[in-house]
Amino acid sequence: MSEEEASGGAALQIGFALILGVAVLGFFVGTGDGEDLRNPLVTHGVADEEVTPAPGAMPSYAMIRGKGRGQDSDWASERKALSAGGSGEALVGKTAALTDRAANRAYDGAPPTIPHPVRQRAAAECLACHEDTFSVRGKSASAMSHAEYASCTQCHVVSEAPMPGAMLPPDATFAANSFVGMVSPSEGERAWAIAPPTTPHHTSMRENCMSCHGPNGRDPMVTPHPERQSCQQCHPPSAGMDQAPGGAR
Amino acid sequence: MPVLGAVLTLSDQVELRSAALAYLAGEPRIELGIAARGRQPIVLSTDSRAQDKALWRSLETLGGITHIELAFADFSDLQNEETPS
Amino acid sequence: MTIDTDRRTFLKIGAMAAATAAAAGTPSDADATGLDPELRKRMGAGVTWDKAPCRFCGTGCHVQVGVKNDKVVAIAGDKLADVNKGLLCVKGYHVGLALYGEDRLRQPMLRVNGELQPISWDKALDIIAERVELDPKGFAYYGSGQWTIPEGYAAQKFMKGGLTSNHIDPNARLCMASAVTGFLAAYGVDEPAGCYEDLDKADVVIMWGNNPAEMHPVLFSRIIDRRSRGQEVTLIDIGTRRTRTTAHCQHYLEFKPQSDLAIANGIAHLLLANGTWDKEFVDANCSFRTDSEPRGLFGDAMSFEDYKAAMAEYTPERVEQISGVPAKDIRMLGDLFGRKDIRITSLWCMGMNQHTEGTAINTLVHGIHLLSGHFGKPGDAPTSLTGQPSACGTAREVGTLAHLLPGGRLVAKEPHRKDAEEYWNLPAGRIDGKPGFHTLKMFEDWCTPKSKGGSIHTIWVQVTNPGQTMPNRNKLLEPGVKDPNKFMIVSEVYPTATTEIADLVLPSAMWVEKNGMFGNSERRTQQWFRMVKPPGDARDDCWQTIAVAKRLFDRGFAGMKDKDGKFLFHIEDDSGKAVPIWNWSNYYDVNVDKHLFEEYRLFSRLKHKDLAPYDEYVKARGMRWPVVETEPGVWRETKFRFSGFDDPYVAEGRAIDFYHSTTGDSRAQIWFRKYTDPPEMPDAEYPMWLCTGRVLEHWHSGTMTRRVPQLARAMPQGYVELNRDDAAELSVDNGEVVRLTTRRGTLDLPVWIDGRGAPPRGSVFVPFFDERLLINFLTLDAHDPFSKQPDYKKCAVKVSKLSKTTAGR
């Protein structure tokens, strides 16, 4: 080996060591920072480790997390417009969703009427779309909210006359019915501000929560945490109507 | 100077609730907004991070306030700030 | 360090906006501001729930009724109910709405110059009393299998104990009478021996001309849902047209109307020919019977040899000839019944009951179960399904028929009359021993002028709609309607085809607007309490009867006094003080239902249909009789009657005991009855069969269900089911209006091809729920010789094409 080669090799080795060192250092620096992400109650912006970047400098990830959600001018004006409007977007949507749901249910808990024609003597065809949720072009066929029963049309009838032919003029007094059906509260009760809400409706025939609250449900009713599978672990049903002892006779 | 917007959930016990509101009203660095359904929006406006933290802590320990949520935080006017202790 | 003040202010504004929006936008409790205030009022808080049996069919599901502010606001299936275990059908889910049609009757009305005018209850009671006094023997009561038990009992006591009149008959005469005579002829006592648990255990379920997918949906689900749990159940539909039930069955045996008689005989024939009949069971428990000359309900004894000889004719080929069912399918049935390793349940309803040989076919189906030994074990049962919620509990058990007394007694039997006179504390001889008029006769007589011998001048109708449901209405109603000397009193909840012809209309309380009790298809007596008030001045049917009785008592009518001069419906509270229950404002001072039921209970022992004390039914979701007290305060129901393992009245050591045997020897009767043609069959002039029946959405004459929007929209109108090929031959399109004509009447109806049901060629089907398209102007009033039940299922009709498009008459 020539002297030149040897010194070049040494420089290379030192270079590698330096890179390695920096890498290792960087690794530790990188993983050492940041707030405790496992504590959900730590609201952003009040972490102890928060630092601010020098003006014009790129903030580190730690800084971004710790910084909290600041606003830019666009967001500020949006917020003002929203608050000027009064109620939040979510509530308007929820009312619309509940009203829409109620349109084909006589009361909360009634079997919905079928908004499309069905074969009158069919047996199990309903399951083709309603066993799991089925969405096409913005319309959803919700999954059955209850366990499978073999005779779907025993409880679910069509919303519109199934037979052909001109209808007799409807009787003036017929089908005028003053029944006003119960609706469930739009939100469950919470023990404290961000506690999981109780289920505000009885769960008879609604054992499959995901039928309405799953990803294909009506927008504001969709669960923000679909990854959690055991709904009733946190969202208990209402004893009053679930015939718990001491509840309904 | 940190500016924070927060939402307070106040106790439903009348004495605690009034005491908390009295404190909030008396604190010059806190501005009270219009309460909606028992939830009280406030703005905390302090001169330093340390003050801001201290004020927040005092709210956390106040008997009539059962919960605080942060809705807004801006630290953009803080410059050359030391890391708080 | 200072900050630009403007910027700070700006930030603070932003902070406040954010916080305010967050405060308003995050839900924190159940108070939902921003929700429509009307919607908020209807929320579930403040709803109280209580149990009740459903108002509709004989299945007898229990519902939970949600009530808020004196209104029914929701219904749910009762999970604690053994019958339905939380499931309902579409009618049950909407039963709460039946109370709220806007034309509820609220005021008594009298027809004056053709128009109904409001009158007071006081006046109405006087009018009824006057009609009774006119001639008590000419006053008739037409009641119902939808009567609560106390309502029927009050009417029964009023008529038979008060008026000494046996002219009281229920609409169950049009529905279950042949099932009753079938039971009596076979077992000596009415009502099924098995219960709904048979449906859970059967390997094979045979439908004999009924459509339970639509008519007893919850029971049908109970069977077919077993398949979802991996169980195998073979369903066989023996029917005259394809229905929703057929879709769930493995086998469909299409038979010509009336030939069910031949099919049953065909099965018996094969059991004998193959030697697969249950010799041991028959030797121990059965005898053979055949028609006497002249025919009588209990017939003559028959030897086994003669039975076998009589059945020889019914080979599979001969049965195919008569019925159109392929011989191989008859053999399949014969093989199934011949097997010992499976359990077979037969189900039937109107196909077998609304039959001019209804008693016969009922006894034949009982017969093949007895002959094959498919009886008395869970899953082995010939099960007659009841249509109405209390045809069993009221009409049959309370005995509101022209020839019966409570508890299975007969007016014709002196010891039975003595029992009733004792329980009712009546002077000896108060009860008439001569049976009164059965329904068809009652109406026929009412339609006959007095000058021509028509003795019935007044009929009081409660809880039923003969204006729509009497067959051959041109004969059995119109003449009476037109006769000014005839009078009809109708206790109703809505304007119906009957109130339209009534002279006096009484507004009545409905379902959970009153206390009540029903008895369902499996001998289960069920109870409920009043939950909401009736509208306007509507009052309980039971009160109406008692109030009329008191009015007569006050006017000196001797019949309303018992042996000691006390009012027939004298009721005391716990302290022994008499309660004036005939005053409507005092009616609920006591529980009249309880008092009447406790009196009625006494009758139930004779035929071992023991009923428990009223309070037991308050606690339970019904109990199946006989209910016996095993220890003080502990009441045990009976699931399987006549079976030694369950029925406490079975003699010691016996596996099966028919302890009401007509031959007095613990044996049931296996009948031979031959196939005969029905009285009216298609011919050249009227070439097709007309069958009538129901659909899922509508309960009977639709007076309740057509006022429920969800049900009315799903099935808004009557129609005629026509076979596709017949339609092509007639050049009739789907939806086109055609004219149906029988010897009795005419009706124009729109055609529905391949709709809810599909009749075979040469046959049409019309549902009877639509009062605007009243098919009973066309139906036949020929009836079974023993039960007097008319046959709505088969008569001859011609179908003709029309050019006009409006349906109607």
Side-chain angles (χ1 to χ4, degrees):
Chain A
M1 201 184 335
S2 68
E3 232 186 41
E4 274 179 346
E5 279 176 326
S7 59
L12 210 55
Q13 282 174 338
I14 292 164
F16 278 137
L18 265 174
I19 289 165
L20 196 61
V22 169
V24 168
L25 188 65
F27 174 76
F28 281 115
V29 166
T31 54
D33 286 332
E35 53 185 78
D36 181 5
L37 298 174
R38 289 167 308 208
N39 183 352
L41 288 184
V42 174
T43 47
H44 300 300
V46 287
D48 286 330
E49 300 80 4
E50 196 236 330
V51 290
T52 37
M58 282 289 280
S60 69
Y61 283 120
M63 287 174 212
I64 290 170
R65 281 213 179 273
K67 196 169 156 54
R69 295 190 182 110
Q71 57 174 23
D72 60 22
S73 52
D74 289 334
W75 193 31
S77 56
E78 279 257 358
R79 269 299 203 184
K80 282 190 98 143
L82 276 175
S83 62
S87 48
E89 272 280 321
L91 255 180
V92 171
K94 192 180 286 185
T95 309
L98 287 176
T99 310
D100 184 48
R101 249 187 116 249
N104 66 339
R105 288 165 172 80
Y107 52 87
D108 180 71
T113 54
I114 306 173
H116 57 77
V118 297
R119 283 211 307 163
Q120 286 295 308
R121 271 176 293 125
E125 303 174 342
C126 318
L127 295 178
C129 297
H130 292 283
E131 185 158 24
D132 294 310
T133 315
F134 178 73
S135 288
V136 151
R137 286 178 174 276
K139 281 200 176 261
S140 273
S142 27
M144 285 187 296
S145 62
H146 55 72
E148 184 181 319
Y149 291 97
S151 182
C152 314
T153 46
Q154 162 182 322
C155 298
H156 297 283
V157 295
V158 292
S159 308
E160 280 183 34
M163 68 281 285
M167 293 289 135
L168 286 175
D171 304 82
T173 51
F174 254 47
N177 192 301
S178 64
F179 177 83
V180 177
M182 168 184 93
V183 300
S184 280
S186 62
E187 302 130 11
E189 296 189 336
R190 293 178 193 252
W192 36 278
I194 61 170
T198 58
T199 312
H201 55 75
H202 71 75
T203 51
S204 179
M205 295 296 173
R206 283 181 279 190
E207 298 91 15
N208 177 13
C209 315
M210 297 306 258
S211 165
C212 296
H213 296 288
N216 281 319
R218 286 183 175 81
D219 189 22
M221 289 166 71
V222 173
T223 172
H225 43 270
E227 71 281 6
R228 300 205 172 103
Q229 297 287 297
S230 179
C231 316
Q232 296 207 336
Q233 165 186 322
C234 300
H235 299 288
S238 95
M241 191 27 233
D242 280 344
Q243 298 191 262
R249 182 168 81 90
Chain B
M1 269 45 121
V3 173
L4 302 180
V7 183
L8 307 179
T9 305
L10 299 173
S11 165
D12 52 13
Q13 287 185 59
V14 176
E15 301 83 28
L16 290 172
R17 190 192 191 95
S18 341
L21 282 168
Y23 168 81
L24 292 166
E27 169 57 64
R29 296 167 296 174
I30 292 179
E31 198 180 305
L32 286 166
I34 300 164
R37 301 173 302 130
R39 289 161 60 71
Q40 177 65 56
I42 60 170
V43 171
L44 293 89
S45 164
T46 47
D47 293 331
S48 72
R49 210 46 202 93
Q51 274 189 38
D52 169 74
K53 284 193 70 61
L55 185 58
W56 187 273
R57 288 257 158 77
S58 73
L59 293 179
E60 279 178 325
T61 53
L62 198 61
I65 296 174
T66 56
H67 194 69
I68 318 176
E69 287 161 274
L70 191 71
F72 173 93
D74 188 291
F75 301 96
S76 57
D77 55 312
L78 290 179
Q79 302 195 2
N80 303 321
E81 187 74 10
E82 300 291 323
T83 310
S85 53
Chain C
M1 174 147 327
T2 57
I3 184 173
D4 181 69
T5 318
D6 286 339
R7 178 167 166 74
R8 163 117 310 177
T9 310
F10 179 73
L11 285 171
K12 282 166 77 174
I13 291 168
M16 184 56 82
T20 308
T26 311
S28 69
D29 54 43
D31 175 39
T33 318
L35 207 59
D36 180 80
E38 282 311 302
L39 210 58
R40 205 172 347 125
K41 269 193 231 161
R42 291 159 52 189
M43 288 179 182
V47 175
T48 53
W49 295 86
D50 201 357
K51 64 157 184 144
C54 179
R55 175 60 180 80
F56 296 124
C57 82
T59 302
C61 299
H62 251 79
V63 302
Q64 284 278 312
V65 184
V67 173
K68 184 170 175 174
N69 298 331
D70 198 40
K71 291 241 180 284
V72 176
V73 294
I75 298 285
D78 191 323
K79 287 187 242 184
L80 302 178
D82 195 39
V83 170
N84 57 310
K85 303 178 176 49
L87 183 64
L88 298 174
C89 78
V90 70
K91 291 190 300 297
Y93 278 116
H94 295 90
V95 66
L97 284 81
L99 275 57
Y100 297 107
E102 290 188 341
D103 55 345
R104 271 302 284 276
L105 300 173
R106 292 159 203 274
Q107 188 72 22
M109 293 185 284
L110 180 68
R111 195 173 295 276
V112 176
N113 296 327
E115 294 291 312
L116 286 171
Q117 308 285 346
I119 57 166
S120 67
W121 271 107
D122 191 57
K123 184 95 175 75
L125 295 175
D126 275 333
I127 291 171
I128 303 174
E130 279 158 22
R131 294 305 304 187
V132 172
E133 288 163 354
L134 189 66
D135 172 17
K137 296 289 186 213
F139 186 93
Y141 214 138
Y142 183 55
S144 175
Q146 294 166 62
W147 250 337
T148 66
I149 293 171
E151 280 167 3
Y153 181 73
Q156 172 86 313
K157 192 174 181 185
F158 172 85
M159 291 295 287
K160 293 186 174 141
L163 260 57
T164 308
S165 167
N166 294 331
H167 291 322
I168 170 171
D169 215 49
N171 65 1
R173 183 71 72 171
L174 309 176
C175 139
M176 295 309 295
S178 293
V180 176
T181 47
F183 280 113
L184 292 174
Y187 309 103
V189 67
D190 187 18
E191 294 204 39
C195 64
Y196 295 159
E197 280 187 29
D198 291 312
L199 305 175
D200 301 331
K201 297 284 193 287
D203 299 297
V204 178
V205 181
I206 305 177
M207 265 62 65
W208 291 80
N210 59 327
N211 180 7
E214 288 193 70
M215 310 314 171
H216 292 89
V218 170
L219 291 182
F220 193 65
S221 282
R222 193 163 163 166
I223 305 169
I224 57 180
D225 286 340
R226 288 170 56 195
R227 291 167 165 169
S228 318
R229 298 195 289 275
Q231 295 179 38
E232 270 190 46
V233 189
T234 303
L235 268 62
I236 302 175
D237 182 14
I238 305 180
T240 53
R241 72 190 231 280
R242 285 181 181 274
T243 63
R244 276 199 179 162
T245 301
T246 318
H248 293 277
C249 293
Q250 281 98 327
H251 303 281
Y252 171 60
L253 276 53
E254 191 167 274
F255 71 97
K256 294 187 201 142
Q258 190 99 347
S259 66
D260 41 8
L261 294 162
I263 297 171
N265 283 348
I267 296 170
H269 168 96
L270 285 168
L271 287 168
L272 296 165
N274 297 338
T276 49
W277 57 290
D278 192 330
K279 192 172 192 310
E280 203 183 304
F281 184 92
V282 173
D283 281 352
N285 304 305
C286 306
S287 301
F288 295 90
R289 213 84 188 155
T290 189
D291 274 318
S292 49
E293 195 56 50
R295 288 179 91 185
L297 180 60
F298 297 106
D300 282 341
M302 187 184 215
S303 70
F304 173 68
E305 300 313 318
D306 287 344
Y307 177 79
K308 198 166 171 188
M311 286 298 184
E313 181 199 341
Y314 293 92
T315 61
E317 288 69 31
R318 174 75 183 123
V319 174
E320 178 173 347
Q321 214 175 31
I322 299 172
S323 68
V325 176
K328 69 164 172 55
D329 287 333
I330 306 295
R331 290 202 169 85
M332 172 197 58
L333 292 173
D335 287 342
L336 285 172
F337 272 95
R339 285 171 65 172
K340 301 285 179 285
D341 60 325
I342 54 172
R343 306 274 173 106
I344 305 179
T345 293
S346 285
L347 295 175
W348 68 90
C349 200
M350 293 303 119
M352 272 174 52
N353 294 343
Q354 290 177 340
H355 195 302
T356 49
E357 283 293 325
T359 307
I361 182 63
N362 268 267
T363 54
L364 292 179
V365 175
H366 289 299
I368 56 182
H369 275 266
L370 292 166
L371 186 66
S372 60
H374 284 289
F375 187 96
K377 301 184 288 297
D380 269 331
T383 298
S384 154
L385 292 173
T386 309
Q388 298 190 79
S390 203
C392 285
T394 310
R396 290 151 81 173
E397 291 162 30
V398 177
T400 60
L401 281 91
H403 63 296
L404 293 181
L405 288 166
R409 292 172 175 78
L410 296 162
V411 299
K413 285 208 162 108
E414 207 203 324
H416 292 176
R417 292 199 301 276
K418 279 180 106 72
D419 279 349
E421 283 163 2
E422 184 196 313
Y423 294 136
W424 288 342
N425 198 35
L426 299 173
R430 171 69 73 84
I431 297 176
D432 187 349
K434 181 158 168 253
F437 291 156
H438 60 84
T439 299
L440 295 180
K441 183 92 177 77
M442 187 194 284
F443 279 88
E444 198 179 328
D445 194 281
W446 187 76
C447 287
T448 308
K450 190 165 173 198
S451 53
K452 295 217 166 74
S455 60
I456 303 289
H457 56 78
T458 302
I459 300 183
W460 187 358
V461 178
Q462 276 199 346
V463 205
T464 181
N465 191 5
Q468 193 164 336
T469 57
M470 289 301 291
N472 196 353
R473 195 186 135 148
N474 277 317
K475 173 182 165 199
L476 292 177
L477 222 53
E478 302 320 291
V481 178
K482 296 185 171 90
D483 187 331
N485 295 313
K486 305 288 183 173
F487 200 84
M488 187 176 282
I489 305 160
V490 179
S491 298
E492 251 294 354
V493 297
Y494 286 116
T496 63
T498 312
T499 60
E500 199 162 298
I501 59 178
D503 297 291
L504 179 62
V505 176
L506 304 173
S508 300
M510 198 177 143
W511 192 46
V512 295
E513 294 169 351
K514 58 189 178 183
N515 288 349
M517 300 181 83
F518 278 161
N520 79 348
S521 225
E522 58 161 0
R523 296 177 278 106
R524 185 186 290 266
T525 313
Q526 328 205 72
Q527 176 278 350
W528 75 92
F529 283 122
R530 178 168 77 149
M531 297 178 205
V532 296
K533 288 202 221 47
D537 211 357
R539 301 184 184 180
D540 294 22
D541 295 76
C542 192
W543 173 85
Q544 295 172 25
T545 304
I546 293 172
V548 169
K550 184 62 166 57
R551 190 55 57 99
L552 285 165
F553 178 90
D554 290 339
R555 288 160 72 119
F557 192 89
M560 291 303 146
K561 293 194 183 91
D562 70 4
K563 192 160 66 177
D564 306 319
K566 267 217 204 112
F567 177 47
L568 230 52
F569 294 100
H570 174 90
I571 281 177
E572 289 168 5
D573 63 19
D574 292 334
S575 69
K577 193 160 145 271
V579 184
I581 54 172
W582 48 88
N583 288 335
W584 175 241
S585 50
N586 296 110
Y587 188 70
Y588 277 92
D589 287 352
V590 286
N591 186 342
V592 175
D593 267 23
K594 181 171 173 174
H595 279 91
L596 293 177
F597 188 79
E598 292 296 336
E599 186 183 285
Y600 160 58
R601 265 185 80 209
L602 303 169
F603 286 88
S604 65
R605 289 295 177 84
L606 181 74
K607 294 292 177 103
H608 302 94
K609 301 189 181 185
D610 307 20
L611 297 168
Y614 180 87
D615 288 330
E616 292 301 312
Y617 296 105
V618 171
K619 289 187 268 182
R621 263 83 175 147
M623 283 196 288
R624 290 164 281 201
W625 54 255
V627 188
V628 293
E629 196 170 18
T630 49
E631 328 158 19
V634 179
W635 293 87
R636 180 190 176 277
E637 59 172 2
T638 304
K639 298 183 191 177
F640 298 97
R641 209 175 174 214
F642 309 134
S643 296
F645 72 88
D646 196 46
D647 184 341
Y649 288 114
V650 167
E652 192 68 39
R654 291 190 69 111
I656 299 276
D657 183 2
F658 296 110
Y659 44 80
H660 281 292
S661 164
T662 54
T663 45
D665 54 1
S666 293
R667 288 173 183 275
Q669 310 304 320
I670 299 175
W671 277 78
F672 170 75
R673 277 178 159 136
K674 60 183 186 190
Y675 168 81
T676 51
D677 280 342
E680 188 178 280
M681 295 179 74
D683 55 22
E685 200 188 342
Y686 301 96
M688 297 178 85
W689 288 107
L690 169 64
C691 181
T692 63
R694 292 182 41 218
V695 292
L696 169 72
E697 290 82 351
H698 289 297
W699 170 252
H700 289 194
S701 61
T703 53
M704 293 182 278
T705 52
R706 285 186 64 221
R707 289 168 166 88
V708 175
Q710 288 77 6
L711 300 173
R713 282 198 300 261
M715 185 60 75
Q717 185 175 288
Y719 51 85
V720 53
E721 287 178 6
L722 185 63
N723 177 278
R724 180 172 286 280
D725 295 329
D726 281 337
E729 207 172 89
L730 284 165
S731 309
V732 162
D733 289 327
N734 208 356
E736 190 178 321
V737 177
V738 296
R739 174 156 295 172
L740 266 62
T741 313
T742 67
R743 291 178 169 87
R744 294 158 289 281
T746 299
L747 187 62
D748 294 341
L749 289 159
V751 162
W752 194 6
I753 300 170
D754 286 338
R756 186 59 65 86
R761 285 211 71 167
S763 169
V764 299
F765 176 88
V766 177
F768 75 94
F769 67 83
D770 194 335
E771 70 175 34
R772 305 165 299 177
L773 298 170
L774 238 166
I775 190 63
N776 278 319
F777 279 101
L778 280 68
T779 50
L780 185 63
D781 59 321
H783 58 77
D784 179 272
F786 311 110
S787 69
K788 321 288 191 239
Q789 179 169 358
D791 189 334
Y792 293 89
K793 297 295 181 186
K794 44 187 105 63
C795 67
V797 68
K798 80 172 165 214
V799 179
S800 19
K801 197 173 155 70
L802 275 178
S803 48
K804 72 178 184 315
T805 52
T806 321
R809 292 185 62 236

